[in-house]
Amino acid sequence: MSSILGIFLFLYLFLLSSISANNREYKWRVEYMHWCPDGVDNVVIAINGQFPGPTIRAIVGDTIFVHLTNNLPTEGAVIHWHGISQSGTPWADGTASISQCPINPGETFLYKFKVDQAGTYFYHGHYGMQRSAGLYGSLIVELPKDEKEAFHYDGEFTLLLSDWWHKSSHDQQIDLSSKPFRWIGEPQSLLMNGRGQFNCSLAAQFSKLPIPQCKLKGDEQYAPQILNVHPNKTYRLRVASSTALSSLNLAIGGHKMVVVEADGNYIQPFSVENMDIYSGESYSILFKTDQDPSNNYWISISVRGRKPKTPQGLTILNYIPNFATKLPNSPPPLPPLWNDYNYSKAFSNKIFGLMGLSPKPPVRQNRRILLLNTQNRIEGYIRWSINNISLVFPTTPYLGSIKHSINNAFDTTSPPNSFSKNYNIMKPPPNPNSTYGNRVYMLKFNTTIDIILQNANALAENESDIHPWHLHGHNFWVLGYGDGKFVHKKDVKKFNLKNPPLRNTVVIFPYGWTAIRFVANNPGVWAFHCHIEPHLHLGMGVVFAEGVHLVKNVPNEALTCGLTEKMFVKNKH
């Protein structure tokens, strides 16, 4: 009798989950379009005529279907669903030459994947430097209706942050690949939801510079999106950074912000007046509209970690019933000094997993990999390298070549597990020469992996950059940060195993190290790379493979570039 009841219970739960989960289907066209993101006529990559691309809102358990047609006339395209685990669908991760072939002009590719974790995410191009050209949009995953968040709020907004150049992404790629090297320079403007101002300022009356006051109409493409709020309410602000280069600092004038979510994971709430956000990161913050209701207030973003040559990005928090055009009566929030790294480190060190809801990491690792970030030269060209290898991608995606044992698709030599103990991270490399490579870190399935990201001096004296690193297909625990060179015996004792935050993106500070831990339990091939677009373009990344033999139902069109269909079928069978 109990077995019959068990069967009925199973069927009931199955039907319940089937009813609650939805299929969300989209047909998208990726295409170039004239647009004015900051008031200067330019060209963006749009989706269905929208810039940024359409926002996807889904509920945990939903399956997303995106039929993506590439209408770019002369180049491939893919879309990476940033922060989505792609459990069971690694071919839908959207990484060209890793999980799939680029979608050729005129072709349509179906992305099909399930969203299994609530949170604030986004999507973006992952081919060439198409993120710099504007190929991005927001992706919000909500809890099922019968579940409650760990915090209360009365309304919510979404802010997708980005930076913008007047020089095209194609010209930027040519500059980066030139000899002599030509750096892309700082962005001309910072955008919030695709809108910024270059040749005028919303806060010109407070500026010491001779810049005109913006006189915008609401229908202009670069007019800021105003956030309309009611007094004495609590609002959730979902914010994600898709910047190509810039680390940012976010502030809401006069308002405290309580940080409650990071990269789709609950964290121990903490209050700040402003917050740093690096490329690839996402957060949820709560703020109360408890200020003078007769005023409006600035929302600002400012450049961090680079000498700021880009004006603040601004929009307005509009207290209803004030007019949205009513400007705040005080200057925009003053950001921290751009090179005050101690300020940034203090913020990062406040982020902990929410006790009771955030899972703890395994207490031991099975493998530790040390990754040294350096700037190098190869045949006179400037590149970024990891353990002295600058990543280049093969023509056949790793996922297919590993699964079907296709010979000579990439270099099967094991990449370095570490770097020389004698390397001086405080000085430029004594031998700046590096090599190209496309090796893969083969991870034993279901084992625990520690990664130590070690930052170092670049080619120029006294220069070390901020690098935000993003891991595809996984969340990881951030075990800790440190200054200088990682020393195993000393620094492992500092690891936080009690309440480390779960993230998918983490920063390494200049001349410092960052330690993360994850479980290699998601069959597939996954990128791990610096999320700064020019740095990845110049080789700053590695590739992990785990349990590839367990991957099923991979579409042929995802894998067959770089070899003929006949060769692929032969290897497949």
Side-chain angles (χ1 to χ4, degrees), residues 167-465:
K167 180 179 286 189
S168 75
S169 61
H170 296 117
D171 288 343
Q172 291 181 42
Q173 289 182 75
I174 293 169
D175 286 349
L176 294 170
S177 303
S178 294
K179 188 167 58 172
F181 179 74
R182 299 185 183 185
W183 178 238
I184 63 171
E186 301 305 308
Q188 275 65 66
S189 53
L190 302 177
L191 309 182
M192 286 189 268
N193 291 341
R195 295 162 180 252
Q197 293 79 44
F198 169 69
N199 51 6
C200 68
S201 172
L202 298 175
Q205 72 270 34
F206 301 108
S207 177
K208 297 178 182 179
L209 301 174
I211 187 169
Q213 179 74 36
C214 293
K215 297 179 180 179
L216 301 175
K217 299 176 182 178
D219 59 351
E220 288 181 302
Q221 294 169 353
Y222 60 104
Q225 286 189 349
I226 308 298
L227 275 61
N228 300 303
V229 296
H230 292 276
N232 301 313
K233 300 288 184 181
T234 298
Y235 289 90
R236 177 182 191 171
L237 181 61
R238 297 179 180 267
V239 56
S241 177
S242 184
T243 56
L245 173 65
S246 307
S247 303
L248 300 174
N249 183 268
L250 170 72
I252 305 174
H255 293 70
K256 292 279 188 181
M257 301 185 293
V258 178
V259 189
V260 293
E261 175 216 339
D263 296 350
N265 297 284
Y266 289 132
I267 59 173
Q268 196 68 34
F270 65 97
S271 178
V272 291
E273 292 183 357
N274 57 67
M275 58 177 287
D276 288 344
I277 179 168
Y278 303 97
S279 178
E281 291 187 327
S282 62
Y283 291 96
S284 281
I285 61 172
L286 303 179
F287 66 93
K288 292 182 179 179
T289 50
D290 54 4
Q291 299 302 299
D292 182 351
S294 65
N295 293 327
N296 289 337
Y297 299 87
W298 296 112
I299 299 175
S300 68
I301 51 175
S302 309
V303 172
R304 299 283 288 129
R306 307 183 67 85
K307 194 168 185 178
K309 299 177 181 177
T310 309
Q312 280 183 308
L314 296 171
T315 190
I316 293 173
L317 186 70
N318 170 227
Y319 271 60
I320 296 173
N322 299 329
F323 288 113
T325 53
K326 180 180 180 179
L327 294 176
N329 58 11
S330 57
L334 191 66
L337 288 176
W338 69 272
N339 57 353
D340 188 349
Y341 296 116
N342 288 330
Y343 192 99
S344 299
K345 293 171 187 176
F347 174 79
S348 293
N349 282 313
K350 290 178 182 177
I351 303 174
F352 298 104
L354 183 59
M355 298 295 283
L357 287 179
S358 184
K360 292 185 178 182
V363 295
R364 294 180 180 84
Q365 48 81 22
N366 302 108
R367 182 179 178 184
R368 178 172 290 128
I369 301 172
L370 282 75
L371 300 178
L372 175 67
N373 296 230
T374 57
Q375 192 181 42
N376 301 89
R377 288 192 180 93
I378 302 178
E379 299 174 353
Y381 294 95
I382 288 184
R383 301 284 298 185
W384 285 94
S385 299
I386 304 301
N387 292 352
N388 211 42
I389 296 176
S390 184
L391 180 64
V392 291
F393 294 112
T395 53
T396 301
Y398 291 108
L399 182 62
S401 58
I402 295 173
K403 178 171 176 58
H404 301 300
S405 303
I406 297 171
N407 296 326
N408 303 318
F410 64 93
D411 184 354
T412 56
T413 308
S414 297
N417 221 44
S418 186
F419 57 94
S420 171
K421 293 181 179 180
N422 298 322
Y423 191 93
N424 186 353
I425 67 162
M426 305 303 294
K427 294 290 184 181
N431 178 5
N433 296 314
S434 182
T435 58
Y436 295 113
N438 55 23
R439 307 181 197 179
V440 176
Y441 286 91
M442 299 291 184
L443 307 180
K444 188 176 180 181
F445 189 62
N446 241 1
T447 57
T448 300
I449 310 298
D450 277 9
I451 305 292
I452 311 298
L453 289 162
Q454 177 68 65
N455 212 343
N457 201 100
L459 284 170
E461 290 275 0
N462 302 316
E463 183 178 308
S464 183
D465 290 345

